[in-house]
């Protein structure tokens, strides 16, 4: 089975689909599934632009609204997670996952599905230590602070995923990288820093990436891990061994001692430790490996897309519910925190044993009674199309109960609670919009697909190529480090032109001299 993996989408759906079609022809393959690792930007109409965290001058409608309206139909089954630039109001309607348009499926804040025999898990958002232990207190309409915290990863989501059995996941998706992957023994750190020299301080301090993602990688040990966020291609191999600390993947000597924070015990790491006079503590055991791949964003001459082959995958090439995951969702449903205060979420192994066989059987029986595990494409519109919006139709300002979410909760016999925080007095717009109540009728999707757009060809993309040249000059990126949830990110300068990376060759200062909308958030 062939899977096309893509980094940051930033709303460029037409370009991604055209690029996949180009690679199919170039490589003589047929892609079965397209995966996006975040910043998807499922913007249905101009009204959704108020719910995406980017400076106003960089807010663009892009092309998703045509797939939402039915003017276009996605030519490939498409699966995505959320990043830090999303239409958060829409994705919150589909917290447990759902169809955002025909043939385009959101995995949810956290989620697990199956496709073609692959078990795919994912975690949306990016890590920020100040929000990590809070509840999901945000609700639309968002104020300036909650617009930026709503996409922060919560410990409750990590707790749910930690109930998955070790080595039971084939592919894991996250937007930001597992912390420590840039310092592992089986990667090219020097090449990364040549491409992104302004990451050096975070890499040297082992602060680049998400400790929550590192914990999941250490515990679950998936076969593959795909990420985006930092706008660079970066492959690595994580060798799991003795784990001393779960929140980093780094293997290095620390503070003159011989303690090694984690199990990247490759021969390269052991050789380096020997040269530096350090030794790993205890006996190193091989517990398998995770193949990590981060990809760039969609721009000409950038490594934003790669097709991978999973020859061992055998199963129906449709998205299916995962019974074990739904059993976890049901078990932990009552623990979901919704307040703006720290919540107790135990994440140690003893507190995350996974569902019982009886719980899984109960879910499986419910799925069978409902017609099987296949996720029916029950997409329906809960907001006006862009054409309707331009004619004067307006969407409600408060949270909308999506029929897909209601159907899933009915399947699991669970109460609805995604709007439980609306009366708590925080997280909303505080006068930004007049909140009108009323029934909103969903509309079925549909439509036709016009001819394909001109393709945007990534540079030198080949099947299963593990390492690609990354010694082009760095792109212009402003690293956006939050200093408070209510602080805006507007910066000077105009949006840069869409030009190949070679334009900035030999200009190290370009990364800091350009006013760039990318806003990479290191979550410090």
């Amino acid at each position: 089975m062939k899977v096309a993996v893509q980094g940051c989408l930033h709303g460029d759906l037409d370009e991604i689909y055209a690029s996949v079609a180009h690679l199919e022809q170039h490589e003589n393959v047929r892609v079965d599934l397209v995966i996006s690792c975040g910043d998807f930007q499922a913007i249905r109409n101009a009204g959704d632009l108020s719910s995406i965290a980017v400076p106003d001058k960089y807010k663009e409608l892009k092309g998703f609204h045509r797939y939402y309206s039915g003017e276009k139909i996605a030519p490939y089954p498409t699966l995505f997670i959320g990043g830090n630039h999303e239409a958060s109001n829409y994705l919150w309607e589909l917290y447990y996952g759902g169809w955002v348009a025909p043939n385009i499926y959101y995995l949810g804040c956290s989620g697990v599905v199956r496709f073609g025999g692959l078990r795919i898990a994912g975690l949306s958002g990016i890590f920020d230590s100040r929000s990590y232990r809070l509840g999901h207190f945000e609700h639309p309409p968002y104020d300036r602070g909650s617009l930026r915290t709503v996409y922060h990863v919560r410990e409750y989501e990590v707790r749910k995923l930690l109930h998955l059995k070790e080595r039971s996941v084939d592919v894991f998706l996250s937007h930001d990288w597992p912390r420590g992957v840039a310092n592992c023994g089986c990667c090219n750190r020097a090449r990364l820093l040549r491409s992104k020299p302004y990451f050096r301080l975070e890499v040297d301090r082992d602060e680049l990436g998400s400790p929550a993602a590192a914990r999941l990688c250490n515990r679950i040990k998936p076969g593959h891990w795909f990420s985006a966020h930092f706008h660079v291609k970066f492959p690595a191999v994580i060798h799991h061994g003795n784990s001393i600390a779960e929140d980093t993947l780094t293997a290095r000597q620390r503070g003159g001692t011989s303690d090694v924070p984690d199990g990247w015990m490759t021969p390269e790491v052991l050789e380096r430790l020997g040269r530096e006079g350090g030794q790993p503590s205890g006996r190193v055991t091989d517990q398998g490996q995770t193949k990590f791949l981060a990809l760039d964003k969609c721009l000409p001459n950038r490594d934003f897309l790669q097709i991978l082959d999973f020859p061992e995958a055998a199963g129906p090439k449709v998205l299916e519910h995962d019974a074990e995951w739904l059993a976890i969702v049901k078990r932990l449903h009552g623990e979901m925190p919704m307040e703006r205060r720290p919540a107790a979420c135990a994440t140690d192994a003893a507190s995350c044993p996974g569902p019982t066989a009886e719980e899984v059987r109960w879910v499986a029986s419910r799925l069978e009674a409902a017609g099987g595990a296949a996720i029916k494409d029950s997409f329906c519109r809960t907001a006006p199309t862009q054409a309707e919006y331009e004619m004067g139709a307006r969407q409600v300002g408060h949270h909308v109960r999506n029929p897909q979410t209601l159907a899933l909760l009915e399947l699991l016999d669970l109460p609805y609670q995604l709007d439980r925080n609306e009366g708590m007095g925080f997280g909303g717009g505080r006068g930004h919009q007049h909140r009108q109540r009323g029934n909103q009728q969903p509309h079925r999707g549909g439509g036709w697909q016009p001819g394909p757009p001109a393709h945007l060809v990534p540079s030198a993309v080949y099947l299963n190529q593990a390492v690609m040249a990354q010694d082009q000059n760095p792109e212009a990126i402003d690293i956006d480090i939050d200093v408070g949830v209510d602080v805006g990110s507007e910066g000077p300068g105009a949006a840069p032109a869409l030009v190949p990376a070679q334009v900035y060759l030999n200009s190290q200062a370009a990364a800091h001299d350009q006013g760039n909308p990318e806003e990479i958030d290191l979550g410090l």
Side-chain angles (χ1 to χ4, degrees), residues 228-516:
H229 191 44
F230 293 134
H231 301 166
V232 63
K233 180 169 183 177
F234 183 75
V237 179
I238 305 167
H239 289 270
H240 300 288
N242 289 345
S243 180
I244 294 174
E246 282 196 309
D247 61 353
T248 182
L249 302 175
T250 308
R252 61 174 180 162
Q253 189 179 18
R254 185 188 297 181
T257 71
S258 61
D259 289 342
V260 179
D262 191 67
W264 288 70
M265 292 297 99
T266 64
E268 293 89 348
V269 173
L270 292 173
E271 180 183 355
R272 186 182 69 190
L273 289 171
R275 289 197 307 267
E276 296 174 354
Q279 294 294 329
S281 15
R283 182 175 63 87
V284 174
T285 58
D286 182 12
Q287 297 181 9
Q289 66 181 22
T290 296
K291 296 178 181 178
F292 175 82
L293 177 65
L295 290 167
D296 207 332
K297 72 171 185 174
C298 181
L299 282 175
N301 295 309
R302 300 283 275 277
D303 301 324
F304 62 86
L305 183 67
Q306 186 152 329
I307 298 177
L308 295 104
D309 188 20
F310 293 86
E312 74 288 352
K317 293 178 180 179
V318 296
L319 286 171
E320 296 181 308
H321 287 297
D322 185 273
E324 181 187 13
W325 172 250
L326 294 184
I328 293 169
V329 170
K330 181 171 177 62
R331 169 186 274 202
L332 300 182
H333 183 77
E335 297 183 14
M336 183 176 179
M338 301 288 285
E339 298 181 355
R340 191 173 186 168
R341 62 184 181 188
C345 289
T347 56
D348 59 287
S351 301
C352 302
T356 65
E358 182 179 354
E359 289 172 329
V360 176
R361 282 195 298 269
W362 183 89
V363 171
S365 66
R366 299 281 287 191
L367 289 172
E368 184 178 359
I375 305 175
K376 300 176 180 64
D377 193 336
S378 54
F379 163 71
C380 57
R381 302 192 195 104
T382 55
T385 65
Q386 175 61 15
E388 293 167 340
Y389 188 87
E390 291 174 354
M391 293 174 61
R394 291 294 180 266
Q395 60 214 59
V396 295
H398 62 82
H399 171 69
V400 175
R401 292 191 172 192
N402 195 294
Q404 296 180 71
T405 300
L406 292 169
L408 179 68
L409 293 174
E410 182 180 359
L411 174 74
L412 299 178
D413 194 23
L414 293 172
Y416 193 95
Q417 57 182 10
L418 296 181
D419 51 7
R420 181 160 51 92
N421 59 8
E422 284 202 343
M424 294 181 180
F426 45 67
R430 292 198 292 270
H432 283 34
Q433 300 180 37
H434 176 63
R435 295 171 60 181
Q436 301 175 352
R437 293 287 176 177
N439 295 326
Q440 189 171 41
Q441 299 298 321
H443 302 281
R444 285 286 173 188
W448 55 277
Q449 181 185 5
H455 57 260
L456 185 63
V457 183
S459 58
V461 181
Y462 302 103
L463 286 175
N464 290 329
Q465 184 174 353
V467 180
M468 298 180 65
Q470 297 182 10
D471 47 12
Q472 294 181 355
N473 187 77
E475 69 177 289
I477 294 177
D478 286 335
I479 302 176
D480 173 34
I481 303 177
D482 286 338
V483 295
V485 296
D486 291 321
V487 176
S489 57
E490 291 81 0
L498 187 65
V499 293
Q502 288 87 341
V503 169
Y504 298 115
L505 284 177
N506 301 319
S507 177
Q508 295 266 335
H512 303 287
D513 292 341
Q514 304 292 324
N516 194 295

Side-chain angles (χ1 to χ4, degrees), residues 22-214:
H22 171 80
L23 288 175
E24 282 185 319
Q25 183 178 8
H26 186 267
E27 300 287 348
N28 193 27
V29 298
R30 171 62 187 172
V31 169
D32 300 295
L33 176 68
V34 173
I35 290 177
S36 173
C37 297
D39 286 353
F40 188 85
Q41 297 185 8
I43 300 170
R44 301 165 291 182
N45 58 56
D48 281 341
L49 292 173
S50 64
S51 294
I52 183 170
V54 297
D56 288 343
K57 60 186 175 183
Y58 297 128
K59 291 180 178 178
E60 297 181 62
L61 196 58
K62 295 294 184 78
F64 171 78
H65 70 94
R66 296 186 178 90
Y67 296 87
Y68 176 78
S69 69
E71 178 184 343
K72 294 183 178 182
I73 300 296
Y76 308 92
T78 303
L79 179 69
F80 75 98
I81 57 169
N84 57 312
H85 301 306
E86 303 290 358
S88 298
N89 57 335
Y90 188 24
L91 297 192
W92 184 247
E93 293 180 22
L94 299 169
Y95 165 83
Y96 304 97
W99 303 99
V100 296
N103 217 26
I104 303 176
Y105 192 85
Y106 170 51
L107 195 52
C109 263
S110 56
V112 182
V113 296
R114 294 177 182 268
F115 184 92
L118 291 179
R119 195 181 194 205
I120 305 171
L123 177 67
S124 291
I126 63 170
F127 179 83
D128 189 298
S129 60
R130 294 162 298 181
S131 304
Y132 183 56
R133 289 188 167 86
L134 302 181
H136 286 290
F137 66 89
E138 303 91 348
H139 62 78
Y142 303 108
D143 61 24
R144 194 173 186 181
S146 62
L147 186 64
R148 295 180 65 79
T149 62
V150 66
Y151 56 73
H152 290 159
V153 167
R154 303 300 155 91
E155 190 174 31
Y156 171 70
E157 308 303 329
V158 175
R159 170 166 161 74
K160 287 193 292 183
L161 289 164
L162 287 172
H163 278 70
L164 297 173
K165 293 181 176 62
E166 183 178 305
R167 298 188 185 181
S168 67
V169 173
D170 299 298
V171 173
F172 199 101
L173 311 176
S174 69
H175 189 57
D176 50 357
W177 304 3
R179 178 166 293 182
V181 70
N183 289 317
C184 76
C186 197
C187 68
N188 196 328
R189 167 180 159 146
R191 181 173 290 167
L192 171 67
L193 293 179
R194 282 201 306 271
S195 177
K196 305 286 182 183
Y198 36 92
F199 285 177
R200 181 174 296 278
L201 182 61
E202 287 72 30
V203 171
D204 287 346
R205 292 177 174 176
D206 197 27
E207 294 174 345
L208 186 71
S210 164

